[in-house]
Amino acid sequence: MSGTSARLVLLGALALVPARALAQDNFEIQVYDSETAGPWHVGLETHLIYIATGTTASSPDGQSPTEHQFHLTFEPHVGIGTWVELGMYLQTALVPDNGFEYAGVKLRCKLRLDEKLAGHIGLAINFEISSVPRRFEPNVWGSEIRPIIDGRWGLFYASINPIIDIDLNGINAGLPQFQPAAKVAFNIINSLALGAEYYGAFGPITKTLPLSESTNRLFVAVDFVSDYFDLNFGVGYGFTGSEQWLVKAILGFHGKGAP
């Protein structure tokens, strides 16, 4: 068989393999805003996620059961200038019967437009690359491009993240996958807001999955914001996908910049 024929056979075989929606990230469940940390301001976000109901058996591609896993992720970040933020994720997981395990590392860079459009709309983009052990992410190597559009009008806030996820390994390597996220919230008082967050995963954008086979999650969330400390707490349900009930909390600590 010639090299050209072999490539055609390989492409045909891949086309027959059903596309699988990449599940939403179970270590960082967050809709980004368009802000970046100030010049040389350092901060730390701590992500805590508990999967109350999830998969109960290992998947064929080596992923561990997710039910009753507790995830703890540390996200230090620093502002560079007025429009760039660098950060990383250090992920751990408490797995039933196995104890705490290393769960990967991610590096990210967030860029934003200094001026808000029409005085209200912020624009930013976040780039990410990740290495996660196969028992938590079968593809191991991955990347993400996350455009961010948000705005605040009085007591109302909204953000849309039309995420493009690209596996760097595995059957869908190199294929952009659509994983949208969105948030709406209303301020009850100055520092406290109540809202809803949506997270989806629809597989490769060239062959998106039907709604019933995709991942769709909805969270009810509370946000508390202060000068030095933020809290995002939410309870979510997966209407489709491998996990149903999840609980998350994000604790953010914001330091001062260099004098």
Side-chain angles (χ1 to χ4, degrees):
M1 180 181 294
S2 69
T4 300
S5 299
R7 285 193 292 271
L8 290 174
V9 170
L10 178 59
L11 289 173
L14 290 175
L16 295 175
V17 177
R20 178 180 64 86
L22 180 67
Q24 270 284 342
D25 191 342
N26 286 331
F27 288 87
E28 184 213 6
I29 302 176
Q30 183 179 23
V31 180
Y32 282 21
D33 62 33
S34 63
E35 299 302 318
T36 55
W40 303 112
H41 283 217
V42 296
L44 174 68
E45 285 190 349
T46 305
H47 300 253
L48 302 96
I49 296 170
Y50 176 67
I51 304 173
T53 52
T55 59
T56 56
S58 298
S59 66
D61 49 14
Q63 187 172 9
S64 300
T66 60
E67 184 160 292
H68 297 161
Q69 282 192 17
F70 174 78
H71 296 170
L72 173 61
T73 298
F74 299 98
E75 182 196 353
H77 62 265
V78 59
I80 307 294
T82 60
W83 56 281
V84 180
E85 181 178 290
L86 301 179
M88 69 182 303
Y89 301 91
L90 302 173
Q91 300 180 168
T92 67
L94 179 59
V95 180
D97 301 324
N98 288 343
F100 264 107
E101 298 185 23
Y102 168 75
V105 62
K106 301 175 183 178
L107 303 176
R108 70 172 182 85
C109 176
K110 184 179 181 183
L111 313 174
R112 74 176 177 91
L113 189 67
D114 263 339
E115 300 292 331
K116 292 188 180 294
L117 301 182
H120 294 281
I121 300 174
L123 299 177
I125 189 166
N126 187 79
F127 299 95
E128 183 177 296
I129 187 167
S130 61
S131 174
V132 179
R134 191 175 302 278
R135 58 190 176 277
F136 298 108
E137 174 48 64
N139 298 311
V140 182
W141 290 95
S143 63
E144 176 186 291
I145 302 172
R146 182 190 295 244
I148 305 160
I149 307 167
D150 73 346
R152 181 175 294 280
W153 296 266
L155 300 178
F156 175 76
Y157 172 80
S159 180
I160 300 173
N161 298 177
I163 303 166
I164 300 298
D165 190 276
I166 304 174
D167 292 340
L168 302 180
N169 188 33
I171 191 172
N172 287 324
L175 296 178
Q177 301 184 48
F178 186 45
Q179 298 189 10
K183 174 174 184 167
V184 293
F186 296 87
N187 274 78
I188 302 171
I189 57 177
N190 287 339
S191 58
L192 188 66
L194 178 65
E197 300 174 3
Y198 165 78
Y199 302 89
F202 292 89
I205 60 176
T206 55
K207 189 180 179 183
T208 57
L209 296 177
L211 187 64
S212 61
E213 298 178 24
S214 60
T215 297
N216 294 275
R217 299 173 178 174
L218 186 65
F219 279 76
V220 175
V222 175
D223 289 282
F224 174 80
V225 179
S226 68
D227 290 339
Y228 296 98
F229 171 81
D230 297 342
L231 170 66
N232 169 262
F233 176 82
V235 177
Y237 181 77
F239 293 94
T240 59
S242 302
E243 289 80 37
Q244 280 72 54
W245 289 103
L246 303 95
V247 180
K248 67 155 182 162
I250 304 172
L251 306 174
F253 303 93
H254 310 292
K256 294 183 177 181

